Amino acid sequence: MDTDAAVALTQDRLAEEGGTIGDLLGYFRNRVSPILVGDPEWERILECARGFPVTLGALPFGFEFPLHERRREADLGVSLSSDARTVAFFDGRARNHESDETAAAITRLFGQMNARSSPLRNIVGRKMMLEFDIGSGRDRTHSFPGVFLRPGERPIVGGRGQVNDVGVVVDALVGCVGWERKVAERENAERAYLAQPGGTRMDSFGVFPSRSRAIRLAIMGFGSKQELFAYLEKTGWPGRTSAVESVISRFDERVRVSRLGANIDVRDEGIGPTLGLTLIVKQRYTKNSRYWLDGLTDWDPFLNALSHEELVVPEKLAALADWVSRPTMLFAKSGRYVMLRGIHHVKLVVSGDQLRKVKAYVFMVLSGAVPS
């Protein structure tokens, strides 16, 4: 059974279970350490997730854990596909609740993805991701999540002249959240692509309507820190490369860094000063590999290297190490499921002259395609 068929089967079976993804998450409280998410914070996650159908559990969902914060909080991330069932749900919600900006944005993107000969779908396929600022946005009243697209169908690779693809994705994101299009913003995103060396790829595009306006770009596949620094210089990144070099060098002394990734914020006036770093330590890295790790102990060297950073809360890091687990069999009224759980990546946020934040992104996914 191929992946799409397995997802469709899992969605059908989850629909039999009924309820929301919040109800589904409620069953997993004992699998999320209270050191990472406290009880009041967990209830806030469930409250948010109850607004979305349980069928989203057939695609990866998960959390962003701030390892630099002692507060036991997390943001929630979910994946959506523009299949008929999901489209119908959000289309109905957008029609019946005109003030629901999230449903309206999702419906606009789904409309572009499902249009005949869709340029957007040719690049990103039929999937999007949402990130809800539940922990990090605790002081905000606005609940509009971040919206992300990944060029999974036609990867946007440096040196391949895919400027038009960049523009298509940027325009889709800006339009879906109701922002006015800015020529300078799009041109800066295109310049960020043109500065990429061959072999690197634009892994994702994102916007955060509840934050200061910017297009978040994730560029993966830098082969060395020198290659990364050359890229930052070409884009006009205004931060201090000495601070970035200090962080990379510290980790290089503790663990072998094979590849690097960068998150930058594109604005109409240029590139923002904050930089997100992703360090790839997998020994068996290939250009087409994912940047999360699969083995139960694959993350140990990196987490050990991370433990030497004073910024990181030791108890949280220990709890994170227990997140990766073997596939787990679950039983429900609609039958058996397998739950997969792992770490997707860890982002090091450099701002000013030093490392300011460390965030772990973890995932869970259910599959009902279990052999009898």
Side-chain angles (χ1 to χ4, degrees):
M1 183 180 297
D2 65 26
T3 302
D4 290 341
V7 169
L9 171 64
T10 305
Q11 288 177 324
D12 289 342
R13 292 188 46 200
L14 286 172
E16 293 180 39
E17 298 291 329
T20 68
I21 191 129
D23 299 323
L24 180 66
L25 278 174
Y27 293 115
F28 300 144
R29 178 58 178 128
N30 63 344
R31 299 177 187 272
V32 180
S33 169
I35 294 173
L36 294 170
V37 185
D39 288 339
E41 292 80 6
W42 182 251
E43 286 303 316
R44 292 177 62 195
I45 290 173
L46 297 186
E47 182 182 357
C48 172
R50 289 187 186 110
F52 297 89
V54 68
T55 51
L56 298 191
L59 292 169
F61 57 96
F63 309 101
E64 174 192 308
F65 297 135
L67 302 182
H68 59 284
E69 292 274 9
R70 290 209 166 268
R71 286 189 293 261
R72 301 177 300 164
E73 59 192 23
D75 290 344
L76 172 68
V78 298
S79 305
L80 294 80
S81 177
S82 62
D83 57 87
R85 187 198 307 270
T86 308
V87 168
F89 174 86
F90 286 103
D91 185 55
R93 203 157 94 172
R95 286 199 315 269
N96 297 327
H97 304 278
E98 294 183 0
S99 63
D100 191 330
E101 297 172 298
T102 301
I106 293 169
T107 300
R108 292 185 194 113
L109 271 182
F110 280 170
Q112 290 191 56
M113 289 175 174
N114 292 339
R116 182 175 297 178
S117 301
S118 167
L120 182 65
R121 189 169 72 193
N122 290 339
I123 302 167
V124 304
R126 301 179 65 178
K127 294 183 175 66
M128 72 176 75
M129 294 162 285
L130 303 178
E131 182 180 314
F132 294 87
D133 290 342
I134 299 172
S136 61
R138 61 189 173 279
D139 298 325
R140 301 190 190 105
T141 56
H142 204 302
S143 60
F144 205 149
V147 184
F148 287 81
L149 294 173
R150 298 188 70 235
E153 291 298 306
R154 187 163 68 217
I156 300 178
V157 179
R160 290 191 183 173
Q162 294 176 268
V163 174
N164 289 339
D165 287 353
V166 173
V168 167
V169 180
V170 168
D171 286 348
L173 281 175
V174 167
C176 84
V177 298
W179 286 350
E180 179 184 353
R181 291 181 181 175
K182 295 184 177 182
V183 174
E185 181 181 67
R186 174 173 166 161
E187 289 178 344
N188 286 333
E190 292 171 347
R191 289 191 189 99
Y193 165 70
L194 291 171
Q196 286 181 223
T200 60
R201 70 186 187 281
M202 277 199 174
D203 193 71
S204 68
F205 297 68
V207 292
F208 293 91
S210 296
R211 305 182 191 177
S212 298
R213 176 165 174 163
I215 308 293
R216 173 71 55 81
L217 301 179
I219 301 96
M220 298 299 300
F222 294 100
S224 66
K225 60 184 178 182
Q226 290 78 17
E227 191 173 58
L228 172 61
F229 296 157
Y231 174 75
L232 294 176
E233 183 178 355
K234 287 181 181 179
T235 60
W237 181 64
R240 298 181 180 178
T241 54
S242 59
V244 181
E245 182 168 21
S246 174
V247 172
I248 297 173
S249 296
R250 292 203 302 270
F251 278 84
D252 249 338
E253 291 173 358
R254 304 166 190 159
V255 65
R256 181 172 172 265
V257 176
S258 301
R259 289 289 191 275
L260 302 106
N263 283 22
I264 59 173
D265 290 330
V266 174
R267 303 169 179 170
D268 59 348
E269 68 270 23
I271 306 299
T274 300
L275 180 73
L277 282 175
T278 303
L279 308 182
I280 310 299
V281 301
K282 190 172 183 180
Q283 301 294 325
R284 300 183 305 278
Y285 180 89
T286 64
K287 288 185 178 179
N288 296 320
S289 74
R290 298 170 298 179
Y291 61 91
W292 59 86
L293 308 177
D294 297 316
L296 291 177
T297 60
D298 280 350
W299 275 100
D300 289 354
F302 182 80
L303 298 184
N304 180 63
L306 198 56
S307 70
H308 296 278
E309 295 293 323
E310 293 184 5
L311 186 68
V312 174
V313 178
E315 296 83 0
K316 282 192 169 185
L317 191 61
L320 177 66
D322 290 335
W323 181 268
V324 182
S325 63
R326 295 185 183 279
T328 304
M329 191 72 70
L330 304 175
F331 299 89
K333 65 183 181 183
S334 60
R336 296 187 301 171
Y337 293 82
V338 170
M339 182 177 72
L340 304 176
R341 197 171 70 163
I343 300 171
H344 186 274
H345 68 289
V346 175
K347 184 168 68 176
L348 310 174
V349 181
V350 178
S351 180
D353 59 353
Q354 61 183 303
L355 179 63
R356 301 283 183 180
K357 299 177 181 179
V358 178
K359 301 178 178 182
Y361 295 81
V362 305
F363 69 90
M364 307 169 73
V365 65
L366 297 176
S367 178
V370 183
S372 55

